[in-house]
């Protein structure tokens, strides 16, 4: 399988880039003030007065310490206000652009119209893609999206009225490392969301054409190397900028998560305090006929990767194994099926280890979502295995029972039993995509149906007091 993201040699950042870890919050240095200086004047809205600056300098000469100092600062109205000079350094990990939803949408619409002209021209799919990448409007839209904080709450709220559009934009940010077929698929979805099905018809034809190419798994950044030198240089300039502004956008281990932190340090760095976070993007879909070859929910994820490795519940394989095999065969996607027991008795740490060994045997990449097909037990142990594998590997959950569809499947809680204690080991690791297809429920026996309905009632009465009463 071709690598999802081929690493490249770092490129020196252009002059517009800031330092990788820009420091801010350090105490301002006031200029020397002569003894015959006249009354101070206010520079800006908060400039030091000459007397206050001299006072700060004298105190600094006497004792350089980490203690805060109180100084007088001129306010806008001219009154002296008391403030505390900062002595703590904050490390800033990102330098991302402001969110302007209207501008983002307009830029993408312009890019789509330009792209349509390129993909409807004569030539091979690969030639059309190169022409697309050499378009000014397309480049502007891609570069500007790559510099957006797509994992932030503010970005989510800006596009809360169109969740499919939000989903696409969160992945387009990483266009540089996406396989060219995945890039084409995302642009096709954007065309449908922003311009309608008729406009998107040509994009769907283009996706079908490029997915038939043997090179469809090659990353966009590799394709860019064969572009005219001036166009390749422009993309490399953006990549160099992102190395400082958002290095994860250039070298992502997974396009589904991002790490951040508030890191504070004393001036001599003898004490550092930090609040760290890992943000994971996840999608939940309620769908029908997921295993119909024409359904693209799984195709859109695994076709660009060139293969799919799946952990499947043994009982699900008995009823639906042939349909699962046929889905990937019909779409010409290499498929590896790993069948494990989905019974509660087989929910120990040793069962998680068996999944980990199988993942290593088939060389699952840390960027490559494992497909998990089954009920609650398989959701728990396979999800737990992915949280451990390469420290954090994404997975897609195809739920086949009511309990997994409403609870264990989309839940971030993954776990296994140990020493006769239920769920003794575990972590918080949600799937990047949860699919609930009620068509699988037709094979459930009445007891399992009752378990699922009971779980729904339990959650309902805990959420709504009127139902509890």
């Amino acid at each position: 399988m071709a690598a999802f993201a081929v690493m490249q040699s770092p490129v020196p950042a252009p002059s517009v880039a800031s330092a990788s870890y820009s420091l801010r919050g350090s105490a301002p240095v006031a200029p020397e003030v002569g003894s015959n200086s006249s009354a101070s004047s206010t520079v800006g809205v908060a400039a030091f007065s000459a007397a206050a600056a001299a006072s700060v300098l004298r105190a600094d000469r006497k004792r350089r310490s980490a203690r805060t100092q109180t100084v007088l600062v001129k306010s806008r109205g001219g009154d002296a206000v008391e403030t505390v000079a900062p002595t703590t350094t904050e490390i800033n990990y990102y330098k991302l652009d402001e969110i302007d939803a209207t501008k983002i949408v307009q830029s993408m619409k312009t890019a789509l119209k330009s792209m349509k002209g390129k993909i409807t021209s004569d030539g091979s799919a690969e030639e059309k893609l190169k022409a697309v990448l050499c378009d000014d409007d397309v480049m502007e839209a891609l570069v500007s999206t790559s510099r957006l904080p797509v994992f932030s709450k503010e970005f989510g709220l800006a596009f809360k009225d169109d969740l499919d559009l939000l989903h696409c934009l969160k992945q387009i940010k990483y266009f540089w490392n996406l396989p060219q077929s995945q890039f084409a698929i995302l642009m096709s979805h954007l065309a449908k969301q922003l311009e309608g099905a008729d406009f998107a018809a040509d994009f769907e034809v283009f996706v079908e054409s490029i997915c038939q190419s043997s090179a469809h798994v090659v990353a966009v950044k590799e394709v860019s190397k064969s572009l005219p030198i001036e166009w390749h240089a422009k993309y490399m300039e953006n990549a160099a900028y992102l190395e400082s502004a958002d290095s994860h956008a250039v070298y992502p281990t997974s396009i589904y998560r991002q790490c951040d932190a508030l890191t504070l340090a004393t001036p001599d760095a003898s004490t550092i305090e930090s609040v760290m976070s890992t943000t994971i993007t996840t999608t939940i879909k309620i769908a029908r006929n997921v295993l119909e070859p024409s359904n693209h929910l799984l195709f859109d994820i695994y076709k660009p990767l060139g293969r799919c490795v799946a952990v499947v519940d043994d009982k699900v394989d008995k009823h639906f194994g042939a349909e699962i095999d046929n889905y990937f065969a019909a779409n010409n996607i290499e498929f590896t099926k790993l069948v494990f027991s989905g019974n509660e008795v087989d929910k120990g740490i040793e069962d998680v280890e068996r999944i980990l060994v199988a993942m290593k045997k088939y060389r699952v990449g840390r960027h490559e979502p494992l497909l998990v097909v089954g009920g609650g037990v398989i959701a728990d142990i396979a999800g737990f295995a992915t949280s451990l594998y390469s420290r954090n590997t994404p997975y897609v959950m195809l739920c086949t029972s009511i309990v997994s569809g409403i609870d264990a499947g989309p839940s971030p809680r993954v776990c296994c039993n140990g020493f006769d204690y239920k769920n003794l080991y575990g972590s918080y690791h949600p799937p990047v995509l949860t699919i609930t297809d009620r068509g699988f429920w037709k094979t459930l026996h009445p007891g399992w149906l009752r378990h699922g309905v009971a779980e729904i009632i339990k959650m309902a009465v805990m959420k709504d007091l009127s139902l509890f009463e």
Side-chain angles (χ1 to χ4, degrees):
M1 176 186 128
F4 178 67
V6 183
M7 299 300 290
Q8 65 183 26
S9 301
V11 177
S15 59
V16 295
S18 61
S20 297
Y21 300 101
S22 56
L23 304 182
R24 55 181 182 169
S26 55
V29 179
E32 286 281 358
V33 179
S35 58
N36 60 347
S37 175
S38 61
S40 64
S41 60
T42 303
V43 180
V45 297
F48 284 111
S49 67
S55 174
V56 171
L57 283 174
R58 285 194 297 271
D60 186 61
R61 293 191 185 102
K62 289 181 179 178
R63 179 178 56 192
R64 293 182 179 271
S65 68
R67 295 182 182 179
T68 59
Q69 301 172 16
T70 300
V71 297
L72 291 179
V73 178
K74 285 283 188 177
S75 66
R76 182 182 295 274
D79 297 328
V81 294
E82 195 174 83
T83 186
V84 177
T87 59
T88 301
T89 297
E90 176 185 346
I91 299 176
N92 186 19
Y93 295 91
Y94 296 98
K95 183 183 177 183
L96 300 173
D97 291 350
E98 296 293 326
I99 301 166
D100 185 335
T102 302
K103 182 179 178 181
I104 294 168
V105 170
Q106 187 55 53
S107 174
M108 199 57 70
K109 282 186 173 183
T110 302
L112 290 168
K113 290 175 182 176
S114 297
M115 181 174 176
K116 185 168 184 175
K118 301 292 190 297
I119 62 176
T120 54
S121 61
D122 295 331
S124 67
E126 291 87 349
E127 291 171 343
K128 292 177 182 179
L129 179 65
K130 292 177 183 178
V132 167
L133 294 174
C134 291
D135 182 88
D136 284 321
D137 294 329
V138 173
M139 171 178 276
E140 181 182 352
L142 294 178
V143 168
S144 61
T145 304
S146 72
R147 301 182 180 194
L148 292 172
V150 299
F151 280 80
S152 68
K153 291 182 179 179
E154 293 77 12
F155 192 86
L157 291 174
F159 294 95
K160 63 183 178 65
D161 295 325
D162 193 338
L163 299 185
D164 288 328
L165 174 60
L166 172 63
H167 175 77
C168 290
L169 290 174
K170 285 194 290 187
Q171 295 193 28
I172 283 290
K173 173 184 172 73
Y174 300 100
F175 79 92
W176 189 234
N177 286 283
L178 296 180
Q180 53 185 313
S181 53
Q182 187 172 4
F183 169 73
I185 289 169
L186 289 170
M187 295 304 286
S188 177
H189 290 332
L190 285 172
K192 186 175 182 179
Q193 289 303 120
L194 295 176
E195 300 292 355
D198 292 340
F199 180 89
D202 291 325
F203 286 80
E204 293 173 358
V205 173
F206 176 62
V207 168
E208 184 177 350
S209 175
I210 203 165
C211 284
Q212 292 174 355
S213 166
S214 59
H216 76 90
V217 297
V218 176
V220 169
K221 69 179 178 183
E222 293 301 308
V223 176
S224 77
K225 294 178 181 178
S226 60
L227 300 179
I229 188 169
E230 65 272 16
W231 287 97
H232 178 59
K234 291 178 182 178
Y235 282 110
M236 292 302 294
E237 181 181 357
N238 183 57
Y241 172 77
L242 288 173
E243 284 186 353
S244 296
D246 183 359
S247 58
H248 186 73
V250 189
Y251 307 117
T253 53
S254 168
I255 66 171
Y256 302 103
R257 74 173 187 269
Q258 185 180 68
C259 298
D260 199 358
L262 171 64
T263 304
L264 305 172
T266 53
D268 62 356
S270 61
T271 300
I272 299 174
E273 284 288 333
S274 183
V275 178
M276 302 181 183
S277 65
T278 298
T279 303
I280 300 176
T281 180
T282 183
T283 303
I284 300 173
K285 287 284 189 181
I286 310 298
R288 285 283 195 177
N289 304 315
V290 172
L291 296 181
E292 284 289 332
S294 59
N295 189 305
H296 273 217
L297 273 177
L298 296 175
F299 176 95
D300 289 350
I301 294 175
Y302 294 105
K303 184 64 176 180
L305 295 174
R307 72 160 184 172
C308 172
V309 178
V311 169
V312 182
D313 185 299
D314 57 349
K315 293 174 288 299
V316 173
D317 188 54
K318 177 182 176 181
H319 292 287
F320 299 101
E323 290 184 53
I324 297 172
D325 294 341
N326 180 66
Y327 178 90
F328 291 99
N331 284 299
N332 195 28
I333 301 172
E334 179 186 330
F335 182 56
T336 301
K337 182 167 58 178
L338 311 172
V339 180
F340 290 87
S341 170
N343 297 323
E344 185 70 24
V345 69
D346 300 310
K347 192 183 170 182
I349 190 69
E350 65 277 6
D351 301 292
V352 175
E353 185 178 19
R354 290 190 187 101
I355 296 175
L356 288 168
V357 170
M359 292 175 70
K360 179 63 174 65
K361 177 181 178 180
Y362 291 99
R363 297 172 296 168
V364 175
R366 65 189 304 177
H367 64 278
E368 179 183 1
L370 181 76
L371 176 61
V372 181
V373 186
V377 171
I378 283 292
D380 280 345
I381 62 174
F384 188 27
T386 59
S387 74
L388 298 173
Y389 189 81
S390 293
R391 293 177 292 183
N392 188 309
T393 299
Y395 70 105
V396 172
M397 183 68 215
L398 178 54
C399 306
T400 61
S401 70
I402 300 178
V403 171
S404 65
I406 64 168
D407 182 21
S411 171
R413 301 182 302 277
V414 291
C415 51
C416 72
N417 302 332
F419 297 101
D420 296 324
Y421 285 90
K422 185 172 177 62
N423 301 336
L424 179 65
Y425 309 116
S427 62
Y428 290 90
H429 185 54
V432 296
L433 172 63
T434 302
I435 305 172
T436 296
D437 183 346
R438 288 169 289 183
F440 288 107
W441 299 354
K442 63 187 178 184
T443 60
L444 298 177
H445 64 64
W448 289 342
L449 291 172
R450 287 195 296 270
H451 290 165
V453 172
E455 191 70 22
I456 292 172
I457 294 173
K458 181 188 77 174
M459 290 190 288
V461 297
M462 293 301 293
K463 178 69 175 177
D464 192 321
L465 180 60
S466 64
L467 292 175
F468 182 82
E469 294 174 340

